[in-house]
Amino acid sequence: MRQGGLDAGDFVGISDTCVGTFVAAGASCQMNEAFRPTSTGARTATVTVIDSAANSPQIVTMTGTGTSVNGPTPVSVDTTGLTCTSGVCQLGFVGDQLVKNFYYTSFGALGDTAPPFSWSLVGGALPPGLTLFPSGQLYGTPTTTGLYTFTVKVTDPAGKTASQAFSLSVSPQPPPLTKGQQGCQHAPGSAVANLTGSAIGGQTPKGQGLGDQSQLTACGGFTVIHASVQNVNLPNGTVLWVTLGGEPIGVIVLNGGSGTMAPWTFQNSLRQQGLLIFSAPPTGSPTDPLVLSGGFV
C-alpha cells in the first residue's frame, strides 16, 4: 500500500489488515483512514494497493473538506522540510548542487485552494541555466557557481496569490583525487546498469547507465554517470527523465528512438542505486510513465 496525492498528509492510516497478507478470492481485508486536514477547503489523497490482479494497482481516491472557525486558510507556498532564515528558504544543502549538474524541483501551494496553479518569478535571479515554468517546475543545468536568491509567486484559479523567497547554492565540480586519496582503496573502474522496458508500439526499448568511478576511493572522490537509450518508439523530440534513486539527474531528448543524457557527477558510490527513466517528470506515484529501468550492482 502507498499513500500519495495532493494532500496525502491530511489522511492518516489508523489500522490496516491488508499489507503483507494474501487475500483469497471473495475474502476481504480492511484499511481505516482518519481525515485530519491541515488547511481549510477541499482536500484529496490516494491510496495505491498493489495486488495480483491483471489491472493492478488499485487506486482509491479519498476526499474531505476542512473547515475552521477562523475562516479559510490563506494561500501559501509550501516550504515543508526546508530550512528558512529571515523569510528565505534554502533549497537543498550547500554543496549538494554542482555546477553543470542537472537540477530539478517542483513548487507546491498550501491553504484553502486547489490546482491548477500558475507560477512566476517576481524577484531576484535564478542560477543561469535554470528556468521556472508556469507549472511550478524549476529545472535545468546551472552554468555558474554562487548563491542565488529569488522569489516565486503562485496564483490559483480564483486569483489568490502568495509569494516566497528561496535560495539555491551552486558549488564547483569536485577536484581530481589528491595524492592522499589516490593511495586509498579504489572503487571498480566502472559500474554498469543495463536498462530494459516494456515494448512500445511493437518495439522493445533498451538502454544503459554507465558510472565512471575512476575518481572514486574509500577516502572520497566522485563518479560521473552517463545514460543512453535506443529503440524507444516515441516521437522525435520526446523528453525522457532519468532518475537515480528517485532523484531526477538529467533528460534525454529522443531522435530516431535514441538519445544520450549529459554527464552527471555523483559524490557517492553507485552500489545498489536504481536507474529509472520516465516519459514525464516523476512524481513518486506508481502510475508515473516508466519507460526503462535497471540498477547499478
Side-chain angles (χ1 to χ4, degrees):
M1 185 187 77
R2 181 173 184 174
Q3 196 154 305
L6 290 173
D7 309 303
D10 287 12
F11 297 82
V12 182
I14 55 177
S15 65
D16 186 351
T17 62
C18 300
V19 172
T21 63
F22 175 79
V23 182
S28 65
C29 63
Q30 185 170 312
M31 296 180 292
N32 294 309
E33 296 271 337
F35 178 47
R36 299 173 183 169
T38 57
S39 297
T40 58
R43 317 296 289 170
T44 64
T46 59
V47 172
T48 301
V49 180
I50 300 174
D51 57 24
S52 59
N55 63 340
S56 180
Q58 316 303 326
I59 300 177
V60 179
T61 300
M62 302 177 292
T63 62
T65 302
T67 60
S68 171
V69 295
N70 298 318
T73 306
V75 178
S76 64
V77 177
D78 189 2
T79 60
T80 303
L82 300 181
T83 299
C84 302
T85 305
S86 300
V88 180
C89 297
Q90 179 179 306
L91 295 173
F93 298 96
V94 174
D96 281 356
Q97 179 56 43
L98 303 179
V99 69
K100 299 182 181 179
N101 258 18
F102 184 81
Y103 176 81
Y104 173 86
T105 193
S106 181
F107 298 110
L110 299 174
D112 189 6
T113 186
F117 303 117
S118 178
W119 295 83
S120 59
L121 181 70
V122 293
L126 296 172
L130 297 191
T131 301
L132 174 65
F133 295 86
S135 62
Q137 296 171 340
L138 171 66
Y139 63 86
T141 302
T143 58
T144 307
T145 61
L147 178 64
Y148 298 86
T149 302
F150 53 91
T151 300
V152 302
K153 182 176 78 171
V154 60
T155 304
D156 76 0
K160 294 180 289 187
T161 65
S163 298
Q164 177 62 51
F166 293 93
S167 66
L168 178 61
S169 179
V170 181
S171 300
Q173 286 278 328
L177 295 176
T178 65
K179 287 186 177 180
Q181 290 172 325
Q182 290 173 359
C184 296
Q185 180 180 0
H186 280 253
S190 63
V192 176
N194 291 313
L195 308 176
T196 59
S198 300
I200 302 173
Q203 296 184 24
T204 302
K206 61 181 180 179
Q208 186 179 76
L210 176 64
D212 178 358
Q213 298 182 142
S214 60
Q215 295 293 304
L216 182 64
T217 75
C219 300
F222 58 91
T223 299
V224 179
I225 301 172
H226 306 262
S228 61
V229 300
Q230 297 177 331
N231 211 39
V232 181
N233 191 17
L234 293 172
N236 286 347
T238 296
V239 177
L240 302 183
W241 291 74
V242 183
T243 69
L244 181 74
E247 176 187 356
I249 63 170
V251 295
I252 295 174
V253 180
L254 290 179
N255 182 17
S258 301
T260 302
M261 180 191 82
W264 195 81
T265 300
F266 185 50
Q267 301 183 87
N268 210 328
S269 169
L270 284 175
R271 186 172 178 81
Q272 304 299 322
Q273 293 283 346
L275 193 68
L276 306 179
I277 298 181
F278 300 88
S279 59
T283 65
S285 167
T287 59
D288 286 342
L290 181 64
V291 177
L292 291 155
S293 63
F296 294 98
V297 296

mmCIF file of all heavy atoms in Angstrom, residues 135-179:
data_model
loop_
_atom_site.group_PDB
_atom_site.id
_atom_site.type_symbol
_atom_site.label_atom_id
_atom_site.label_comp_id
_atom_site.label_asym_id
_atom_site.label_seq_id
_atom_site.Cartn_x
_atom_site.Cartn_y
_atom_site.Cartn_z
ATOM 1 N N SER A 135 4.110 25.759 -14.542
ATOM 2 C CA SER A 135 3.618 24.601 -13.795
ATOM 3 C C SER A 135 4.189 24.532 -12.379
ATOM 4 O O SER A 135 3.736 23.719 -11.563
ATOM 5 C CB SER A 135 3.979 23.320 -14.540
ATOM 6 O OG SER A 135 5.394 23.194 -14.639
ATOM 7 N N GLY A 136 5.201 25.344 -12.087
ATOM 8 C CA GLY A 136 5.870 25.282 -10.792
ATOM 9 C C GLY A 136 7.130 24.445 -10.812
ATOM 10 O O GLY A 136 7.812 24.325 -9.786
ATOM 11 N N GLN A 137 7.467 23.858 -11.958
ATOM 12 C CA GLN A 137 8.704 23.088 -12.080
ATOM 13 C C GLN A 137 9.877 24.040 -12.336
ATOM 14 O O GLN A 137 9.780 24.962 -13.143
ATOM 15 C CB GLN A 137 8.601 22.087 -13.232
ATOM 16 C CG GLN A 137 7.537 21.034 -13.024
ATOM 17 C CD GLN A 137 7.319 20.197 -14.272
ATOM 18 O OE1 GLN A 137 7.674 20.599 -15.374
ATOM 19 N NE2 GLN A 137 6.733 19.026 -14.103
ATOM 20 N N LEU A 138 10.965 23.805 -11.621
ATOM 21 C CA LEU A 138 12.199 24.569 -11.793
ATOM 22 C C LEU A 138 13.291 23.580 -12.158
ATOM 23 O O LEU A 138 13.608 22.676 -11.376
ATOM 24 C CB LEU A 138 12.557 25.297 -10.497
ATOM 25 C CG LEU A 138 13.934 25.982 -10.446
ATOM 26 C CD1 LEU A 138 13.999 27.141 -11.424
ATOM 27 C CD2 LEU A 138 14.246 26.466 -9.030
ATOM 28 N N TYR A 139 13.844 23.705 -13.364
ATOM 29 C CA TYR A 139 14.887 22.762 -13.731
ATOM 30 C C TYR A 139 15.787 23.313 -14.833
ATOM 31 O O TYR A 139 15.477 24.311 -15.484
ATOM 32 C CB TYR A 139 14.309 21.405 -14.128
ATOM 33 C CG TYR A 139 13.418 21.365 -15.344
ATOM 34 C CD1 TYR A 139 13.943 21.219 -16.631
ATOM 35 C CD2 TYR A 139 12.037 21.414 -15.226
ATOM 36 C CE1 TYR A 139 13.132 21.132 -17.740
ATOM 37 C CE2 TYR A 139 11.213 21.316 -16.333
ATOM 38 C CZ TYR A 139 11.763 21.187 -17.588
ATOM 39 O OH TYR A 139 10.939 21.104 -18.696
ATOM 40 N N GLY A 140 16.887 22.611 -15.009
ATOM 41 C CA GLY A 140 17.880 22.973 -15.998
ATOM 42 C C GLY A 140 19.258 22.592 -15.489
ATOM 43 O O GLY A 140 19.397 21.860 -14.498
ATOM 44 N N THR A 141 20.287 23.096 -16.156
ATOM 45 C CA THR A 141 21.666 22.817 -15.768
ATOM 46 C C THR A 141 22.367 24.132 -15.469
ATOM 47 O O THR A 141 22.643 24.914 -16.379
ATOM 48 C CB THR A 141 22.410 22.070 -16.892
ATOM 49 O OG1 THR A 141 21.718 20.857 -17.181
ATOM 50 C CG2 THR A 141 23.833 21.737 -16.470
ATOM 51 N N PRO A 142 22.643 24.425 -14.189
ATOM 52 C CA PRO A 142 23.292 25.692 -13.847
ATOM 53 C C PRO A 142 24.694 25.778 -14.447
ATOM 54 O O PRO A 142 25.446 24.808 -14.424
ATOM 55 C CB PRO A 142 23.335 25.684 -12.321
ATOM 56 C CG PRO A 142 23.207 24.252 -11.927
ATOM 57 C CD PRO A 142 22.382 23.605 -12.996
ATOM 58 N N THR A 143 25.021 26.945 -14.944
ATOM 59 C CA THR A 143 26.300 27.132 -15.634
ATOM 60 C C THR A 143 27.295 27.960 -14.839
ATOM 61 O O THR A 143 28.449 28.088 -15.256
ATOM 62 C CB THR A 143 26.060 27.817 -16.994
ATOM 63 O OG1 THR A 143 25.399 29.074 -16.771
ATOM 64 C CG2 THR A 143 25.197 26.950 -17.893
ATOM 65 N N THR A 144 26.857 28.531 -13.707
ATOM 66 C CA THR A 144 27.711 29.423 -12.936
ATOM 67 C C THR A 144 27.559 29.116 -11.451
ATOM 68 O O THR A 144 26.455 28.872 -10.972
ATOM 69 C CB THR A 144 27.338 30.898 -13.188
ATOM 70 O OG1 THR A 144 27.328 31.151 -14.598
ATOM 71 C CG2 THR A 144 28.340 31.832 -12.525
ATOM 72 N N THR A 145 28.666 29.112 -10.719
ATOM 73 C CA THR A 145 28.613 28.878 -9.271
ATOM 74 C C THR A 145 28.141 30.135 -8.545
ATOM 75 O O THR A 145 28.135 31.242 -9.107
ATOM 76 C CB THR A 145 29.985 28.461 -8.726
ATOM 77 O OG1 THR A 145 30.920 29.517 -8.977
ATOM 78 C CG2 THR A 145 30.470 27.180 -9.405
ATOM 79 N N GLY A 146 27.743 29.956 -7.287
ATOM 80 C CA GLY A 146 27.349 31.096 -6.468
ATOM 81 C C GLY A 146 26.091 30.810 -5.677
ATOM 82 O O GLY A 146 25.459 29.755 -5.814
ATOM 83 N N LEU A 147 25.706 31.761 -4.827
ATOM 84 C CA LEU A 147 24.486 31.680 -4.042
ATOM 85 C C LEU A 147 23.448 32.591 -4.681
ATOM 86 O O LEU A 147 23.686 33.797 -4.818
ATOM 87 C CB LEU A 147 24.741 32.096 -2.592
ATOM 88 C CG LEU A 147 23.515 32.108 -1.675
ATOM 89 C CD1 LEU A 147 22.937 30.706 -1.524
ATOM 90 C CD2 LEU A 147 23.880 32.684 -0.312
ATOM 91 N N TYR A 148 22.324 32.030 -5.042
ATOM 92 C CA TYR A 148 21.285 32.772 -5.748
ATOM 93 C C TYR A 148 20.025 32.823 -4.888
ATOM 94 O O TYR A 148 19.592 31.809 -4.337
ATOM 95 C CB TYR A 148 20.984 32.123 -7.098
ATOM 96 C CG TYR A 148 22.174 32.121 -8.031
ATOM 97 C CD1 TYR A 148 23.116 31.098 -7.974
ATOM 98 C CD2 TYR A 148 22.374 33.160 -8.929
ATOM 99 C CE1 TYR A 148 24.236 31.111 -8.807
ATOM 100 C CE2 TYR A 148 23.484 33.172 -9.770
ATOM 101 C CZ TYR A 148 24.407 32.146 -9.698
ATOM 102 O OH TYR A 148 25.508 32.162 -10.524
ATOM 103 N N THR A 149 19.440 34.015 -4.784
ATOM 104 C CA THR A 149 18.202 34.210 -4.037
ATOM 105 C C THR A 149 17.145 34.772 -4.984
ATOM 106 O O THR A 149 17.421 35.718 -5.740
ATOM 107 C CB THR A 149 18.414 35.178 -2.857
ATOM 108 O OG1 THR A 149 19.435 34.652 -1.998
ATOM 109 C CG2 THR A 149 17.132 35.330 -2.059
ATOM 110 N N PHE A 150 15.958 34.205 -4.934
ATOM 111 C CA PHE A 150 14.890 34.607 -5.848
ATOM 112 C C PHE A 150 13.538 34.385 -5.183
ATOM 113 O O PHE A 150 13.411 33.625 -4.218
ATOM 114 C CB PHE A 150 14.973 33.814 -7.158
ATOM 115 C CG PHE A 150 15.021 32.322 -6.974
ATOM 116 C CD1 PHE A 150 13.850 31.559 -6.953
ATOM 117 C CD2 PHE A 150 16.240 31.671 -6.809
ATOM 118 C CE1 PHE A 150 13.901 30.192 -6.762
ATOM 119 C CE2 PHE A 150 16.284 30.295 -6.626
ATOM 120 C CZ PHE A 150 15.125 29.558 -6.604
ATOM 121 N N THR A 151 12.529 35.067 -5.688
ATOM 122 C CA THR A 151 11.181 34.984 -5.125
ATOM 123 C C THR A 151 10.212 34.488 -6.200
ATOM 124 O O THR A 151 10.224 34.989 -7.334
ATOM 125 C CB THR A 151 10.716 36.354 -4.609
ATOM 126 O OG1 THR A 151 11.617 36.805 -3.593
ATOM 127 C CG2 THR A 151 9.307 36.269 -4.021
ATOM 128 N N VAL A 152 9.414 33.498 -5.826
ATOM 129 C CA VAL A 152 8.401 32.969 -6.743
ATOM 130 C C VAL A 152 7.010 33.330 -6.232
ATOM 131 O O VAL A 152 6.795 33.497 -5.027
ATOM 132 C CB VAL A 152 8.525 31.436 -6.907
ATOM 133 C CG1 VAL A 152 9.903 31.057 -7.416
ATOM 134 C CG2 VAL A 152 8.219 30.711 -5.602
ATOM 135 N N LYS A 153 6.067 33.453 -7.156
ATOM 136 C CA LYS A 153 4.674 33.750 -6.809
ATOM 137 C C LYS A 153 3.764 32.697 -7.417
ATOM 138 O O LYS A 153 3.961 32.279 -8.559
ATOM 139 C CB LYS A 153 4.271 35.129 -7.321
ATOM 140 C CG LYS A 153 2.828 35.523 -6.946
ATOM 141 C CD LYS A 153 2.483 36.927 -7.392
ATOM 142 C CE LYS A 153 2.180 36.997 -8.869
ATOM 143 N NZ LYS A 153 1.641 38.321 -9.271
ATOM 144 N N VAL A 154 2.781 32.265 -6.634
ATOM 145 C CA VAL A 154 1.787 31.316 -7.114
ATOM 146 C C VAL A 154 0.446 32.033 -7.198
ATOM 147 O O VAL A 154 0.104 32.845 -6.331
ATOM 148 C CB VAL A 154 1.691 30.084 -6.189
ATOM 149 C CG1 VAL A 154 1.290 30.461 -4.775
ATOM 150 C CG2 VAL A 154 0.713 29.062 -6.767
ATOM 151 N N THR A 155 -0.308 31.746 -8.246
ATOM 152 C CA THR A 155 -1.656 32.278 -8.433
ATOM 153 C C THR A 155 -2.604 31.122 -8.648
ATOM 154 O O THR A 155 -2.340 30.256 -9.498
ATOM 155 C CB THR A 155 -1.714 33.233 -9.635
ATOM 156 O OG1 THR A 155 -0.741 34.278 -9.472
ATOM 157 C CG2 THR A 155 -3.095 33.832 -9.792
ATOM 158 N N ASP A 156 -3.707 31.056 -7.866
ATOM 159 C CA ASP A 156 -4.644 29.950 -8.019
ATOM 160 C C ASP A 156 -5.776 30.359 -8.953
ATOM 161 O O ASP A 156 -5.853 31.522 -9.400
ATOM 162 C CB ASP A 156 -5.133 29.458 -6.654
ATOM 163 C CG ASP A 156 -6.169 30.369 -6.014
ATOM 164 O OD1 ASP A 156 -6.537 31.410 -6.603
ATOM 165 O OD2 ASP A 156 -6.623 30.038 -4.907
ATOM 166 N N PRO A 157 -6.683 29.441 -9.300
ATOM 167 C CA PRO A 157 -7.748 29.758 -10.273
ATOM 168 C C PRO A 157 -8.661 30.901 -9.830
ATOM 169 O O PRO A 157 -9.297 31.547 -10.670
ATOM 170 C CB PRO A 157 -8.522 28.446 -10.385
ATOM 171 C CG PRO A 157 -7.528 27.389 -10.054
ATOM 172 C CD PRO A 157 -6.676 27.992 -8.987
ATOM 173 N N ALA A 158 -8.752 31.158 -8.509
ATOM 174 C CA ALA A 158 -9.601 32.239 -8.010
ATOM 175 C C ALA A 158 -8.875 33.580 -7.970
ATOM 176 O O ALA A 158 -9.449 34.583 -7.545
ATOM 177 C CB ALA A 158 -10.126 31.892 -6.617
ATOM 178 N N GLY A 159 -7.600 33.588 -8.383
ATOM 179 C CA GLY A 159 -6.836 34.824 -8.382
ATOM 180 C C GLY A 159 -6.106 35.099 -7.090
ATOM 181 O O GLY A 159 -5.444 36.138 -6.958
ATOM 182 N N LYS A 160 -6.191 34.197 -6.108
ATOM 183 C CA LYS A 160 -5.443 34.372 -4.857
ATOM 184 C C LYS A 160 -3.968 34.103 -5.116
ATOM 185 O O LYS A 160 -3.621 33.214 -5.887
ATOM 186 C CB LYS A 160 -5.989 33.445 -3.778
ATOM 187 C CG LYS A 160 -7.407 33.774 -3.331
ATOM 188 C CD LYS A 160 -7.903 32.819 -2.270
ATOM 189 C CE LYS A 160 -8.175 31.425 -2.826
ATOM 190 N NZ LYS A 160 -8.806 30.534 -1.825
ATOM 191 N N THR A 161 -3.105 34.862 -4.452
ATOM 192 C CA THR A 161 -1.666 34.737 -4.696
ATOM 193 C C THR A 161 -0.897 34.610 -3.383
ATOM 194 O O THR A 161 -1.386 34.958 -2.305
ATOM 195 C CB THR A 161 -1.122 35.950 -5.459
ATOM 196 O OG1 THR A 161 -1.242 37.123 -4.634
ATOM 197 C CG2 THR A 161 -1.874 36.164 -6.760
ATOM 198 N N ALA A 162 0.307 34.096 -3.491
ATOM 199 C CA ALA A 162 1.252 34.037 -2.379
ATOM 200 C C ALA A 162 2.653 34.055 -2.963
ATOM 201 O O ALA A 162 2.888 33.567 -4.077
ATOM 202 C CB ALA A 162 1.038 32.781 -1.539
ATOM 203 N N SER A 163 3.599 34.607 -2.229
ATOM 204 C CA SER A 163 4.996 34.686 -2.682
ATOM 205 C C SER A 163 5.911 34.106 -1.613
ATOM 206 O O SER A 163 5.583 34.108 -0.426
ATOM 207 C CB SER A 163 5.395 36.131 -2.982
ATOM 208 O OG SER A 163 4.610 36.674 -4.026
ATOM 209 N N GLN A 164 7.069 33.622 -2.057
ATOM 210 C CA GLN A 164 8.046 33.066 -1.133
ATOM 211 C C GLN A 164 9.436 33.216 -1.725
ATOM 212 O O GLN A 164 9.653 32.972 -2.909
ATOM 213 C CB GLN A 164 7.755 31.588 -0.856
ATOM 214 C CG GLN A 164 8.764 30.892 0.037
ATOM 215 C CD GLN A 164 8.839 31.505 1.424
ATOM 216 O OE1 GLN A 164 7.813 31.678 2.083
ATOM 217 N NE2 GLN A 164 10.042 31.849 1.862
ATOM 218 N N ALA A 165 10.393 33.613 -0.874
ATOM 219 C CA ALA A 165 11.787 33.724 -1.302
ATOM 220 C C ALA A 165 12.523 32.418 -1.034
ATOM 221 O O ALA A 165 12.319 31.778 0.005
ATOM 222 C CB ALA A 165 12.471 34.872 -0.569
ATOM 223 N N PHE A 166 13.391 32.034 -1.957
ATOM 224 C CA PHE A 166 14.202 30.826 -1.852
ATOM 225 C C PHE A 166 15.649 31.163 -2.171
ATOM 226 O O PHE A 166 15.940 32.160 -2.845
ATOM 227 C CB PHE A 166 13.721 29.745 -2.823
ATOM 228 C CG PHE A 166 12.367 29.192 -2.524
ATOM 229 C CD1 PHE A 166 11.241 29.727 -3.126
ATOM 230 C CD2 PHE A 166 12.211 28.133 -1.633
ATOM 231 C CE1 PHE A 166 9.981 29.212 -2.851
ATOM 232 C CE2 PHE A 166 10.966 27.610 -1.351
ATOM 233 C CZ PHE A 166 9.842 28.151 -1.962
ATOM 234 N N SER A 167 16.544 30.293 -1.707
ATOM 235 C CA SER A 167 17.953 30.401 -2.097
ATOM 236 C C SER A 167 18.436 29.048 -2.589
ATOM 237 O O SER A 167 17.956 27.999 -2.136
ATOM 238 C CB SER A 167 18.817 30.875 -0.926
ATOM 239 O OG SER A 167 18.847 29.900 0.108
ATOM 240 N N LEU A 168 19.363 29.086 -3.510
ATOM 241 C CA LEU A 168 19.976 27.869 -4.044
ATOM 242 C C LEU A 168 21.465 28.130 -4.228
ATOM 243 O O LEU A 168 21.858 29.084 -4.905
ATOM 244 C CB LEU A 168 19.335 27.472 -5.381
ATOM 245 C CG LEU A 168 19.918 26.242 -6.072
ATOM 246 C CD1 LEU A 168 19.767 25.001 -5.208
ATOM 247 C CD2 LEU A 168 19.269 26.014 -7.432
ATOM 248 N N SER A 169 22.286 27.274 -3.617
ATOM 249 C CA SER A 169 23.736 27.400 -3.716
ATOM 250 C C SER A 169 24.255 26.447 -4.789
ATOM 251 O O SER A 169 23.949 25.254 -4.759
ATOM 252 C CB SER A 169 24.380 27.079 -2.374
ATOM 253 O OG SER A 169 25.794 27.165 -2.453
ATOM 254 N N VAL A 170 25.018 26.970 -5.730
ATOM 255 C CA VAL A 170 25.623 26.168 -6.794
ATOM 256 C C VAL A 170 27.129 26.108 -6.544
ATOM 257 O O VAL A 170 27.813 27.134 -6.555
ATOM 258 C CB VAL A 170 25.336 26.759 -8.190
ATOM 259 C CG1 VAL A 170 25.955 25.884 -9.273
ATOM 260 C CG2 VAL A 170 23.831 26.889 -8.413
ATOM 261 N N SER A 171 27.629 24.895 -6.311
ATOM 262 C CA SER A 171 29.036 24.702 -5.941
ATOM 263 C C SER A 171 29.874 24.250 -7.136
ATOM 264 O O SER A 171 29.342 23.712 -8.116
ATOM 265 C CB SER A 171 29.140 23.649 -4.831
ATOM 266 O OG SER A 171 28.421 24.055 -3.685
ATOM 267 N N PRO A 172 31.200 24.429 -7.063
ATOM 268 C CA PRO A 172 32.065 23.954 -8.152
ATOM 269 C C PRO A 172 32.057 22.432 -8.242
ATOM 270 O O PRO A 172 31.741 21.737 -7.262
ATOM 271 C CB PRO A 172 33.447 24.464 -7.746
ATOM 272 C CG PRO A 172 33.199 25.520 -6.718
ATOM 273 C CD PRO A 172 31.939 25.136 -6.018
ATOM 274 N N GLN A 173 32.416 21.928 -9.407
ATOM 275 C CA GLN A 173 32.615 20.488 -9.572
ATOM 276 C C GLN A 173 33.785 20.046 -8.685
ATOM 277 O O GLN A 173 34.721 20.822 -8.457
ATOM 278 C CB GLN A 173 32.929 20.155 -11.036
ATOM 279 C CG GLN A 173 31.726 20.230 -11.968
ATOM 280 C CD GLN A 173 30.885 18.966 -11.916
ATOM 281 O OE1 GLN A 173 31.400 17.875 -11.699
ATOM 282 N NE2 GLN A 173 29.592 19.119 -12.116
ATOM 283 N N PRO A 174 33.737 18.833 -8.139
ATOM 284 C CA PRO A 174 34.821 18.384 -7.255
ATOM 285 C C PRO A 174 36.136 18.263 -8.016
ATOM 286 O O PRO A 174 36.149 17.909 -9.201
ATOM 287 C CB PRO A 174 34.331 17.029 -6.759
ATOM 288 C CG PRO A 174 33.352 16.563 -7.788
ATOM 289 C CD PRO A 174 32.688 17.807 -8.302
ATOM 290 N N PRO A 175 37.257 18.535 -7.344
ATOM 291 C CA PRO A 175 38.566 18.442 -7.999
ATOM 292 C C PRO A 175 38.985 16.988 -8.154
ATOM 293 O O PRO A 175 38.421 16.090 -7.519
ATOM 294 C CB PRO A 175 39.490 19.183 -7.031
ATOM 295 C CG PRO A 175 38.853 18.950 -5.692
ATOM 296 C CD PRO A 175 37.373 18.965 -5.935
ATOM 297 N N PRO A 176 39.999 16.714 -8.980
ATOM 298 C CA PRO A 176 40.540 15.345 -9.083
ATOM 299 C C PRO A 176 41.068 14.868 -7.738
ATOM 300 O O PRO A 176 41.282 15.665 -6.816
ATOM 301 C CB PRO A 176 41.665 15.491 -10.117
ATOM 302 C CG PRO A 176 41.334 16.732 -10.882
ATOM 303 C CD PRO A 176 40.650 17.640 -9.909
ATOM 304 N N LEU A 177 41.279 13.582 -7.626
ATOM 305 C CA LEU A 177 41.766 12.999 -6.381
ATOM 306 C C LEU A 177 43.111 13.605 -5.972
ATOM 307 O O LEU A 177 43.981 13.855 -6.808
ATOM 308 C CB LEU A 177 41.929 11.485 -6.541
ATOM 309 C CG LEU A 177 40.658 10.666 -6.787
ATOM 310 C CD1 LEU A 177 41.017 9.201 -7.017
ATOM 311 C CD2 LEU A 177 39.700 10.797 -5.616
ATOM 312 N N THR A 178 43.253 13.826 -4.669
ATOM 313 C CA THR A 178 44.534 14.274 -4.136
ATOM 314 C C THR A 178 45.493 13.076 -4.059
ATOM 315 O O THR A 178 45.081 11.929 -4.207
ATOM 316 C CB THR A 178 44.360 14.874 -2.738
ATOM 317 O OG1 THR A 178 43.916 13.835 -1.850
ATOM 318 C CG2 THR A 178 43.340 16.003 -2.750
ATOM 319 N N LYS A 179 46.753 13.350 -3.790
ATOM 320 C CA LYS A 179 47.716 12.255 -3.649
ATOM 321 C C LYS A 179 47.322 11.331 -2.506
ATOM 322 O O LYS A 179 47.457 10.107 -2.592
ATOM 323 C CB LYS A 179 49.125 12.812 -3.422
ATOM 324 C CG LYS A 179 49.747 13.439 -4.664
ATOM 325 C CD LYS A 179 51.201 13.827 -4.394
ATOM 326 C CE LYS A 179 51.845 14.378 -5.657
ATOM 327 N NZ LYS A 179 53.271 14.764 -5.430
#
